[in-house]
Amino acid sequence: MTYYKKTKAALASSPRTQGVQLGRLAMKKDYSVAQIAELTGATRPTIYKWFRGGTVSPAYRAAVASLILYLK
């Protein structure tokens, strides 16, 4: 699975938020945005927003935290 250069650059330069941490792990473990969306219940555009440093809403925080632990 490859990520676009723009997404890779955003993950490298973004602050260390929960979404960025998830994005870095997903890229490292070769998970697609569609797979992350399916596992968290969020939409693909929402996942991209998280990867760029956007805030993970309270509704998804537990799912994202669990997925981060799983991917580590």
Side-chain angles (χ1 to χ4, degrees):
M1 186 64 39
T2 58
Y3 284 87
Y4 289 109
K5 290 180 186 180
K6 186 176 180 180
T7 303
K8 288 181 182 180
L11 287 170
S13 66
S14 295
R16 190 139 178 102
T17 63
Q18 192 179 33
V20 171
Q21 186 178 8
L22 176 61
R24 289 176 180 158
L25 287 169
M27 193 168 55
K28 181 178 178 183
K29 301 287 185 166
D30 207 29
Y31 276 75
S32 70
V33 171
Q35 288 172 312
I36 298 297
E38 186 176 327
L39 292 169
T40 60
T43 63
R44 286 179 29 239
T46 299
I47 302 300
Y48 280 115
K49 183 183 83 168
W50 295 346
F51 285 8
R52 289 189 310 269
T55 304
V56 176
S57 68
Y60 296 107
R61 283 189 191 141
V64 171
S66 296
L67 189 53
I68 287 171
L69 290 174
Y70 175 76
L71 292 175
K72 281 190 173 181

